Amino acid sequence: GAVVSQHPSRVICKSGTSVKIECRSLDFQATTMFWYRQFPKQSLMLMATSNEGSKATYEQGVEKDKFLINHASLTLSTLTVTSAHPEDSSFYICSASQGATAKNIQYFGAGTRLSVL
Amino acid sequence: DAKTTQPTSMDCAEGRAANLPCNHSTISGNEYVYWYRQIHSQGPQYIIHGLKNNETNEMASLIITEDRKSSTLILPHATLRDTAVYYCIVRVAHNQGGKLIFGQGTELSVKP
């Protein structure tokens, strides 16, 4: 299947700092990327849908000013957790798709484990 | 959005077939059934998907009932590396961006 690369795999930061996570589609152009968050022993929760060249669409309850998403090219989307706090500590996972229809398979990155001290 | 119901957990003996059921009784005609799995602390891995016909690939087989209200994922010869959480997801219609909404999934434990 297609490869989605996510970087970094793990990050530890101090409370109040901002953290940027990158998601790249390595062998295909991704018109749509998705960002998920997963807390321990829970399922993945969709945070937002990122479309190349346009503003991200956030799920209900997700603060857009807190989680900044940029999808500047067809192979790269970034998630910036601004002014991170300990409650933002979580496993963040991105996925990428060549299209936005139900026929298009989403491929996932390996995830980024964020720990905020 | 169509919801899915899966057993919380299942065990399977190594080398035997693992049959993972999924109920999606409210599925719409244009919604696909997708299966992903997540091995501990990794991103989900795509397994297979289908609309109404049975599907098979190198990883698994997907059996969808004729009324499309349920499906079964079959891992023909389970190995210890197949231990993971398996998610059955009904893909929302295209005009909602093709989002994947994950439920709780089935935690499959393959035992020696």
Side-chain angles (χ1 to χ4, degrees):
Chain A
V3 178
V4 175
S5 173
Q6 196 171 333
H7 179 81
S9 59
R10 176 180 287 270
V11 58
I12 301 172
C13 70
K14 293 182 178 180
S15 186
T17 60
S18 294
V19 175
K20 180 183 284 188
I21 303 170
E22 291 187 349
C23 180
R24 295 180 184 273
S25 57
L26 297 187
D27 52 0
F28 68 100
Q29 291 187 328
T31 55
T32 307
M33 289 185 171
F34 301 85
W35 287 95
Y36 297 80
R37 181 167 56 179
Q38 186 175 33
F39 292 107
K41 298 191 182 302
Q42 294 186 23
S43 186
L44 284 79
M45 184 191 77
L46 179 66
M47 299 175 67
T49 301
S50 170
N51 294 297
E52 187 267 337
S54 64
K55 290 183 178 180
T57 302
Y58 290 82
E59 295 297 303
Q60 192 172 8
V62 178
E63 301 175 59
K64 62 180 181 181
D65 295 329
K66 172 77 170 175
F67 300 99
L68 300 179
I69 292 173
N70 185 280
H71 193 161
S73 77
L74 285 172
T75 59
L76 174 64
S77 176
T78 60
L79 168 69
T80 301
V81 183
T82 62
S83 186
H85 291 285
E87 58 265 30
D88 298 322
S89 298
S90 188
F91 191 49
Y92 291 87
I93 311 168
C94 72
S95 69
S97 172
Q98 287 181 286
T101 73
K103 293 183 180 180
N104 297 115
I105 298 169
Q106 280 187 38
Y107 295 98
F108 285 79
T112 297
R113 189 161 300 283
L114 171 63
S115 299
V116 184
L117 306 178
Chain B
D1 301 344
K3 298 288 193 293
T4 62
T5 305
Q6 298 178 253
T8 302
S9 63
M10 292 181 63
D11 289 342
C12 177
E14 187 179 20
R16 303 296 294 268
N19 297 290
L20 293 92
C22 179
N23 181 286
H24 33 79
S25 58
T26 60
I27 192 170
S28 299
N30 62 348
E31 291 180 316
Y32 287 73
V33 179
Y34 276 77
W35 283 84
Y36 283 80
R37 72 180 182 184
Q38 186 179 27
I39 296 169
H40 183 63
S41 294
Q42 297 182 23
Q45 177 188 23
Y46 165 78
I47 302 174
I48 199 167
H49 74 289
L51 183 61
K52 52 185 176 182
N53 296 322
N54 296 337
E55 302 288 344
T56 296
N57 62 21
E58 65 278 5
M59 289 184 68
S61 294
L62 173 61
I63 309 298
I64 303 175
T65 57
E66 194 168 339
D67 63 7
R68 302 210 325 124
K69 293 185 177 182
S70 65
S71 61
T72 301
L73 178 74
I74 301 173
L75 307 178
H77 306 285
T79 70
L80 299 179
R81 288 179 296 180
D82 291 322
T83 292
V85 178
Y86 287 76
Y87 296 99
C88 167
I89 303 167
V90 172
R91 187 78 173 269
V92 296
H94 63 85
N95 61 356
Q96 294 186 38
K99 298 185 290 188
L100 288 176
I101 306 299
F102 284 79
Q104 294 305 308
T106 295
E107 187 166 6
L108 176 68
S109 296
V110 181
K111 300 182 183 299

